C-alpha cells in the first residue's frame, strides 16, 4: 500500500495556508497522514538502526513497508508586516531566511538521502535482512518565488543545484569551482543522484496577491 502525496497536500491546503516553522509543517503533515491512513504508524525525527546520525523527518509504516518523507520550509519576509492565514485567522511573522543556494543543495541532499535509505537492509526477520522500502518523498514549501526561477547569473555558484521549475536533476551535481569556502562550509560534497527527477512546482496558497511573499509554492519529488 502506498500513500497519495497529492491528496495529502490537498488536505493540508484545506487546513492551513501558512506554517510558522518547518517543525509546524512537519507536525501538520504527519497529522494529516495519520488521519487519512488509519492503519499507518507515523514517526517524527526517526533514527534508523543503520545510521544513528540520520533523522528522517517523517517515517510512515504501512503494511510493514517504509515511506520516508523529508521536508524543507523556506520563508521570505518582504518587511511589509505579518501575513494572516485566512483559514485559521492566525497571524505569522515569518523569518527572512535567504540562503537560496544552501536551500537548493539541502533539498537535493534530501533526495539523495532517501535514495540511500532505499538501498539499506532496514529490517531483520527470522535472521534474514530485508529491504522494506516502499517509496519516499522530498517536499519543499516556500513563499520565496526565486526558488522557481533560474539563477540570474550564469556563473552563480549553485547553478547545478538550482530547483527552477521544469529543470531535471540527475547524476553528480557540484558547487562551482569559484565557490567560497564559507558558502559551502559543511556541505562541500557533491550531490550524487541515482534517479532522474524533474522539478515541477505547484501553488500551495495565495495569502496576499499584492505582496511578493504572499504566495506559497510547493515541490514534491517522489523516489521509488
Amino acid at each position: 500500500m502506498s500513500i497519495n502525496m497529492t491528496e495529502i497536500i490537498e488536505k493540508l491546503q484545506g487546513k492551513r495556508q501558512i506554517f510558522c516553522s518547518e517543525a509546524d509543517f512537519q507536525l501538520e503533515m504527519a497529522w494529516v497522514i495519520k488521519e487519512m491512513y488509519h492503519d499507518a504508524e507515523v514517526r517524527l525525527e526517526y533514527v534508523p538502526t543503520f545510521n544513528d546520525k540520520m533523522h528522517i523527518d517523517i517515517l510512515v509504516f504501512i503494511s510493514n513497508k517504509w515511506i520516508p518523507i523529508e521536508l524543507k520550509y523556506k520563508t521570505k519576509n518582504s518587511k511589509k508586516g505579518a501575513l494572516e492565514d485566512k483559514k485559521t485567522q492566525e497571524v505569522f511573522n515569518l523569518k527572512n531566511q535567504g540562503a537560496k543556494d544552501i536551500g537548493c543543495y539541502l533539498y537535493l541532499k534530501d533526495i539523495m538521502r532517501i535514495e540511500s535509505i532505499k538501498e539499506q537492509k532496514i529490517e531483520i526477520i527470522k535472521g534474514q535482512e530485508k529491504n522494506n522500502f516502499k517509496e519516499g518523498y522530498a517536499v519543499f514549501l516556500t513563499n520565496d518565488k526565486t526558488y522557481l526561477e533560474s539563477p540570474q547569473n550564469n556563473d552563480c555558484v549553485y547553478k547545478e543545484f538550482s530547483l527552477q521549475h521544469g529543470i531535471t536533476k540527475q547524476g553528480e551535481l557540484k558547487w562551482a569551482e569559484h565557490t567560497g569556502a564559507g558558502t559551502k562550509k559543511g556541505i562541500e560534497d557533491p550531490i550524487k543522484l541515482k534517479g532522474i527527477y524533474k522539478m515541477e512546482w505547484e501553488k500551495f496558497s495565495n495569502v496576499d496577491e499584492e505582496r511578493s511573499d504572499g504566495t506559497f509554492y510547493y515541490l514534491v519529488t517522489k523516489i521509488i
Side-chain angles (χ1 to χ4, degrees), residues 3-6 8-9 12 19 22 25-26 29 33 57-58 67-74 103 106-108 110-111 114 136-142 163 199-202 204 217-223:
I3 62 173
N4 188 318
M5 185 55 71
T6 299
I8 292 167
I9 294 291
L12 269 175
F19 302 91
E22 191 168 287
F25 180 36
Q26 179 190 36
M29 178 173 282
I33 292 170
D57 288 342
I58 301 174
I67 304 176
I69 302 170
E70 295 287 351
L71 305 178
K72 287 288 173 284
Y73 182 57
K74 299 297 181 182
L106 292 177
Y107 182 73
L108 294 170
D110 282 347
I111 298 173
I114 295 172
Y137 295 90
V139 183
F140 200 131
L141 179 63
T142 185
L163 302 176
M199 305 295 111
E200 296 182 301
W201 292 86
E202 302 284 349
F204 182 81
Y217 303 90
Y218 72 93
L219 172 64
V220 173
T221 303
K222 184 176 182 178
I223 298 91

Side-chain angles (χ1 to χ4, degrees), residues 51-153:
N51 186 344
D52 61 6
K53 295 181 180 179
M54 179 184 290
H55 292 74
I56 302 170
D57 288 342
I58 301 174
L59 182 60
V60 182
F61 298 92
I62 298 183
S63 301
N64 209 33
K65 294 292 185 180
W66 282 39
I67 304 176
I69 302 170
E70 295 287 351
L71 305 178
K72 287 288 173 284
Y73 182 57
K74 299 297 181 182
T75 56
K76 176 182 178 180
N77 189 321
S78 63
K79 298 183 180 180
K80 292 185 177 180
L83 289 167
E84 181 183 356
D85 187 325
K86 296 178 178 63
K87 293 185 181 295
T88 64
Q89 284 75 56
E90 294 177 87
V91 175
F92 295 91
N93 188 25
L94 300 177
K95 293 182 179 179
N96 194 27
Q97 293 180 310
K100 178 185 172 185
D101 49 358
I102 297 173
C104 290
Y105 177 96
L106 292 177
Y107 182 73
L108 294 170
K109 187 175 180 180
D110 282 347
I111 298 173
M112 185 172 70
R113 180 183 297 114
I114 295 172
E115 287 186 335
S116 76
I117 295 171
K118 178 182 177 181
E119 297 177 347
Q120 296 295 327
K121 303 299 183 182
I122 57 179
E123 187 175 17
I124 299 177
I125 299 177
K126 295 182 180 180
Q128 293 185 334
E129 291 184 335
K130 297 183 69 175
N131 186 327
N132 279 359
F133 177 91
K134 175 65 177 178
E135 61 194 18
Y137 295 90
V139 183
F140 200 131
L141 179 63
T142 185
N143 66 333
D144 184 348
K145 194 177 181 180
T146 64
Y147 276 101
L148 287 67
E149 301 166 354
S150 59
Q152 293 184 346
N153 301 317

Side-chain angles (χ1 to χ4, degrees), residues 160-196:
E160 292 193 11
F161 305 131
S162 175
L163 302 176
Q164 68 218 55
H165 180 70
I167 199 168
T168 297
K169 294 296 174 183
Q170 64 186 78
E172 183 172 288
L173 308 169
K174 299 178 290 185
W175 292 100
E177 291 185 4
H178 61 280
T179 307
T183 297
K184 59 181 182 178
K185 184 178 180 181
I187 51 173
E188 298 92 349
D189 293 341
I191 298 294
K192 297 179 180 180
L193 301 177
K194 298 182 182 300
I196 301 173

Side-chain angles (χ1 to χ4, degrees), residues 30-42:
W31 198 307
V32 164
I33 292 170
K34 187 61 178 174
E35 287 178 337
M36 293 178 64
Y37 301 93
H38 301 294
D39 294 334
E41 296 295 332
V42 182

